[in-house]
Amino acid sequence: MQPRRLILVAGAEEWLDAQFSTQFTSNLSQSLAIFCHDTQAGLPHLNADIFPFSKAKNALGQEWQTILFDCRKALHLEALAIASGTLLAGGTLYLWINDWESFQSERDLDSLRWADGIIQSCPHFRKIFQDTVKNAGFPLFTQPQAIPFYPVQSADIEPLPLGPTVEQEGLLNKIKTHPMQRFILTAKRGRGKSALAGFLAELLLKEDPQQLLLTAANKKAVQKLQQFCHLPIPFCAPDALLENLDAIRQQRKWLFIDEAAMLPLPMLQTLCSAFEKVLCTTTIESYEGTGQGFSLKFMQSTAKNFHALSLDTPLRWQQNDPIEKFIEDLLLVAPNSLNKPQNSNSTYRFLRQVQLDKNTDLTDFYQLLKLAHYRTTPLDLRRLLDAPRQQFFAGYDEGNRLQSGIWGLEEGDMHDEALLVAIRRGERRPNGNLVAQLLLQNHLDLRAGQLRSVRISRIAVHPALQNQGLGQKLLTAFQQQLLEKGNIDYLSVSFGYDEKLAYFWHKAGFQLVYLSHQQTASSGCYSAVGVLPLTPAGEAFCKSLINNFQRNFALSHYPLENQLRRSQSEDLVLSKKHMALTDIDKTALADFAYAHRPFITSLPALIRLLKQYPQHLPLVKDFLHDKKSYLKPSARQWLKQCRQDVALILNDF
């Protein structure tokens, strides 16, 4: 097996195009893939498969002998990790840049994804990138040098194995004989995880063609698994499986879940508990960002009765592959690098973003996030290093070992009243200020955007110290230091609602002011927002939000209404129906009738209006009897008519 190579090339498009054209226009036996920003064409006349960064996941399950990764406009870390995993042994990955000397100061279009829609330079991450390249010793070729090419010979390409390797055979025997019959298989990319699942699927299907079902978030990605099974594997998408779960689990003994970490944890919990025998496979430490955090979270909350399996030997490339090492260094994959802290007297301090450019602070803080949040991704790393308006607060034990951390994002401080009104009316949705905009749209209070707030994006406690009260102590210290500064009016937090998390935030003093009506795709939970005031202005604002939330609660038809009533403290009066039509209701109705305020957000005001005009709002009345009415194919016309009905009433006010 030949080693894989990485080469940097810097120069104009005509220079690189001419040299690649010589190699790949006529040589159809050499496979080439090009990854580039969505605004780039990717040298379309070449015999190449072209993947915009936003579609990079479509490359999963495929392989190429040569890959050109275009970094001139953007350095998309997830796409780079995906591309590197699709390069064959003996292949070459070319990273195309503008200029090595100006690399750190160049504006990066990738910042549009995580810097509140602002195109900016990314000096902290790009410095780490350059340092990692230098440490790896990868060569750089600049215009007008000749670019070296290394065609992969057919003899260098490893054929698909006819059967399992020694390591895979050992795991297959363990699966066949283990009494538990519930497994989670983790491995880095290129270790033969899909092959093992394919071999096992064939064994099971030969015994009984009806006993196995495969599910995955990305059906295209399971093609690799199918290559190692000579029988067709029945497949069902996760959402369709959930809809027909009772019937399907009566027919199937085994459920295979490929790339389990890509599914929301509540969905994964439901699927795993429904079947007698389960095999979950998932990649660790790759573009998804999953690692020990997923394994810990999964084993703690879902699979205490699961048996953990792993594959370690790479099959697609050599052991100690330099490209794999390079990507792991960029993703800050440092196994066991975070020293185990003690639950001793804690000291707390803010970290500046420039400090996170230093290896120890950066690695420790990011490793803590990955341990505590299994869906931490490379996008978080880019945001952490270079996004504006962030705050980092950390707790350390007496040995200066990291115990806990808060990652906060500054929001608000918006004073363009025309913009704020447009956000309130649903006409504008600028990037950033996620919770501030959400509160403004739902509570119609311009102070949501005007006051300064910090949204707690992540709070993390080392797994060895969880459930010992350190999270509450960290929050208390964070609040106290912000109070002393006096320039933040309130704290906010957005989280996937469950009773345990709701209790944690309520205990810390946060009051619930928002709950979504639909589950989020990423978590499978309903989104909730809590607020905590820090200044007198923040106190008045948060009190207004809480009163408005409680006033509207009984008329909002939340899916989690009964659960929320049980979990809240007795001082929250959530059952009383406030039916008086107020000025704030009239604003909500006007924004609904004449702008783009959503129906479900406007529902409490619409119900109050219906009480006064029972004959004028038939569609609202229909919805209260059948909540699926506005989800039908004619929903757009239904909503338009509903807005017109409200407008006719408002014209008479």
Side-chain angles (χ1 to χ4, degrees):
M1 188 182 298
Q2 296 298 311
R4 302 192 301 170
R5 304 172 184 84
L6 190 149
I7 295 174
L8 282 86
V9 292
E13 186 162 326
E14 296 77 11
W15 164 74
L16 183 136
D17 193 0
Q19 298 196 50
F20 266 73
S21 295
T22 301
Q23 292 291 324
F24 295 99
T25 301
S26 58
N27 192 350
L28 299 180
S29 65
Q30 295 296 308
S31 59
L32 171 67
I34 299 175
F35 292 77
C36 56
H37 191 266
D38 292 41
T39 61
Q40 295 172 294
L43 307 180
H45 64 280
L46 291 181
N47 179 39
D49 297 304
I50 299 175
F51 294 93
F53 290 155
S54 65
K55 306 293 183 184
K57 288 184 180 181
N58 292 340
L60 291 172
Q62 305 179 64
E63 292 176 322
W64 289 273
Q65 296 162 320
T66 305
I67 293 175
L68 174 62
F69 193 91
D70 194 340
C71 304
R72 291 175 301 155
K73 286 193 173 184
L75 187 46
H76 194 295
L77 189 52
E78 299 100 307
L80 181 57
I82 291 171
S84 70
T86 64
L87 184 67
L88 284 166
T92 306
L93 171 61
Y94 295 90
L95 297 185
W96 187 5
I97 64 173
N98 291 309
D99 178 72
W100 189 246
E101 297 302 321
S102 63
F103 186 75
Q104 290 184 34
S105 61
E106 292 175 3
R107 294 205 309 168
D108 191 333
L109 288 182
D110 191 62
S111 59
L112 288 170
R113 297 191 302 144
W114 43 261
D116 291 353
I118 302 168
I119 303 176
Q120 63 175 56
S121 62
C122 306
H124 298 110
F125 175 72
R126 285 187 170 231
K127 182 181 184 301
I128 289 173
F129 182 91
Q130 283 192 316
D131 290 344
T132 307
V133 168
K134 291 175 184 176
N135 291 337
F138 295 134
L140 169 67
F141 290 83
T142 61
Q143 190 174 1
Q145 287 179 288
I147 300 173
F149 291 93
Y150 304 91
V152 179
Q153 305 300 322
S154 58
D156 296 331
I157 302 175
E158 293 289 322
L160 289 176
L162 298 177
T165 64
V166 173
E167 187 180 25
Q168 290 170 340
E169 187 67 49
L171 292 187
L172 285 172
N173 289 332
K174 186 175 292 187
I175 292 172
K176 288 186 289 186
T177 59
H178 199 283
M180 188 177 294
Q181 297 289 282
R182 298 172 71 80
F183 306 92
I184 173 172
L185 171 63
T186 59
K188 296 180 182 179
R189 292 210 174 277
R191 266 60 182 176
K193 166 177 55 66
S194 296
L196 185 144
F199 293 140
L200 178 61
E202 184 168 347
L203 291 173
L204 295 173
L205 291 171
K206 283 181 178 179
E207 294 176 357
D208 180 359
Q210 301 301 316
Q211 72 169 316
L212 170 64
L213 186 67
L214 170 65
T215 191
N218 184 356
K219 184 177 181 180
K220 192 171 184 179
V222 304
Q223 293 175 358
K224 197 68 171 177
L225 193 155
Q226 181 66 74
Q227 290 180 32
F228 296 92
C229 179
H230 297 95
L231 299 172
I233 305 175
F235 179 88
C236 184
D239 51 353
L241 178 55
L242 284 176
E243 288 180 8
N244 302 281
L245 192 57
D246 289 337
I248 292 175
R249 66 181 175 183
Q250 300 299 323
Q251 304 168 9
R252 312 282 181 175
K253 295 180 182 178
W254 274 94
L255 176 68
F256 281 19
I257 306 176
D258 190 52
E259 294 297 356
M262 295 181 70
L263 296 181
L265 196 59
M267 177 184 286
L268 194 58
Q269 291 170 331
T270 301
L271 294 178
C272 287
S273 62
F275 288 83
E276 177 185 353
K277 302 178 180 182
V278 180
L279 173 67
C280 292
T281 67
T282 198
T283 305
I284 59 171
E285 303 294 12
S286 186
Y287 69 93
E288 303 97 332
T290 54
Q292 296 180 61
F294 169 75
S295 299
L296 289 169
K297 196 92 169 179
F298 182 81
M299 299 304 264
Q300 288 173 358
S301 64
T302 304
K304 293 180 181 178
N305 59 341
F306 270 52
H307 187 65
L309 308 172
S310 64
L311 287 166
D312 301 311
T313 305
L315 301 180
R316 285 196 234 160
W317 43 76
Q318 292 181 333
Q319 191 84 28
N320 301 318
D321 176 75
I323 293 181
E324 182 176 65
K325 176 66 165 55
F326 171 69
I327 296 297
E328 288 182 349
D329 287 345
L330 279 180
L331 295 175
L332 296 186
V333 175
N336 302 316
S337 66
L338 189 61
N339 294 322
K340 181 180 177 181
Q342 303 297 316
N343 190 354
S344 58
N345 292 329
S346 302
T347 58
Y348 301 98
R349 64 176 181 264
F350 282 95
L351 300 174
R352 293 178 294 119
Q353 198 166 35
V354 291
Q355 288 178 298
L356 295 176
D357 197 18
K358 299 177 182 178
N359 286 336
T360 52
D361 284 336
L362 170 62
T363 302
D364 285 355
F365 198 88
Y366 189 63
Q367 289 290 336
L368 181 64
L369 290 177
K370 291 203 297 181
L371 283 170
H373 299 272
Y374 84 90
R375 297 300 290 272
T376 300
T377 70
L379 184 68
D380 295 311
L381 178 60
R382 297 300 311 272
R383 179 183 290 114
L384 183 151
L385 281 168
D386 288 299
R389 303 181 69 192
Q390 300 185 95
Q391 293 195 9
F392 308 99
F393 189 72
Y396 296 85
D397 69 6
E398 292 176 339
N400 202 36
R401 292 177 290 259
L402 184 62
Q403 295 174 321
S404 55
I406 287 174
W407 183 3
L409 304 178
E410 296 178 10
E411 295 192 341
D413 202 20
M414 304 165 66
H415 301 287
D416 183 340
E417 187 167 335
L419 174 61
L420 292 172
V421 171
I423 293 171
R424 188 204 74 197
R425 288 166 56 86
E427 297 168 340
R428 295 282 303 277
R429 191 175 181 180
N431 290 305
N433 293 288
L434 182 110
V435 166
Q437 289 197 62
L438 184 68
L439 297 178
L440 174 54
Q441 292 163 353
N442 280 268
H443 294 282
L444 309 169
D445 191 330
L446 299 189
R447 289 177 295 178
Q450 294 167 339
L451 297 179
R452 295 191 62 183
S453 63
V454 170
R455 170 166 59 92
I456 298 177
S457 175
R458 304 286 171 83
I459 179 170
V461 175
H462 193 287
L465 302 180
Q466 289 177 0
N467 301 313
Q468 297 180 35
L470 267 71
Q472 294 290 335
K473 292 179 181 178
L474 178 71
L475 280 169
T476 299
F478 185 53
Q479 295 165 32
Q480 185 60 41
Q481 295 205 22
L482 288 177
L483 279 169
E484 292 174 4
K485 291 184 175 183
N487 61 348
I488 299 297
D489 294 299
Y490 68 96
L491 291 174
S492 71
V493 63
S494 176
F495 60 96
Y497 187 90
D498 68 41
E499 292 190 6
K500 184 177 179 181
L501 267 180
Y503 175 77
F504 173 85
W505 291 110
H506 186 73
K507 184 178 179 182
F510 287 78
Q511 294 291 311
L512 199 63
V513 294
Y514 170 81
L515 189 67
S516 70
H517 286 79
Q518 293 183 328
Q519 296 163 300
T520 61
S522 60
S523 69
C525 298
Y526 294 91
S527 294
V529 172
V531 294
L532 175 68
L534 296 176
T535 66
E539 180 79 41
F541 170 66
C542 291
K543 184 176 180 180
S544 173
L545 296 184
I546 294 165
N547 290 340
N548 197 44
F549 177 75
Q550 295 181 17
R551 177 175 175 268
N552 288 333
F553 182 85
L555 302 179
S556 293
H557 293 258
Y558 289 115
L560 293 179
E561 183 173 340
N562 292 332
Q563 182 180 345
L564 190 63
R565 291 184 196 279
R566 291 195 306 269
S567 65
Q568 293 300 303
S569 61
E570 295 178 359
D571 60 324
L572 292 184
V573 181
L574 300 176
S575 58
K576 184 177 179 181
K577 292 188 177 181
H578 301 264
M579 299 303 295
L581 200 62
T582 65
D583 288 341
I584 196 169
D585 291 318
K586 293 175 182 178
T587 301
L589 292 169
D591 287 352
F592 173 75
Y594 304 122
H596 302 282
R597 182 174 174 81
F599 173 84
I600 201 68
T601 309
S602 309
L603 187 59
L606 289 169
I607 293 174
R608 295 181 183 113
L609 187 65
L610 176 65
K611 184 180 180 182
Q612 292 192 15
Y613 298 88
Q615 306 304 319
H616 294 73
L617 295 172
L619 297 183
V620 177
K621 189 180 296 185
D622 290 345
F623 172 82
L624 296 177
H625 288 93
D626 178 12
K627 295 181 178 58
K628 295 181 179 180
S629 59
Y630 90 123
L631 299 177
K632 293 177 180 178
S634 59
R636 182 175 296 181
Q637 185 59 38
W638 185 95
L639 184 58
K640 181 180 179 181
Q641 183 60 52
C642 193
R643 293 187 194 277
Q644 291 175 353
D645 292 346
V646 174
L648 287 174
I649 298 174
L650 294 182
N651 290 337
D652 294 333
F653 271 17

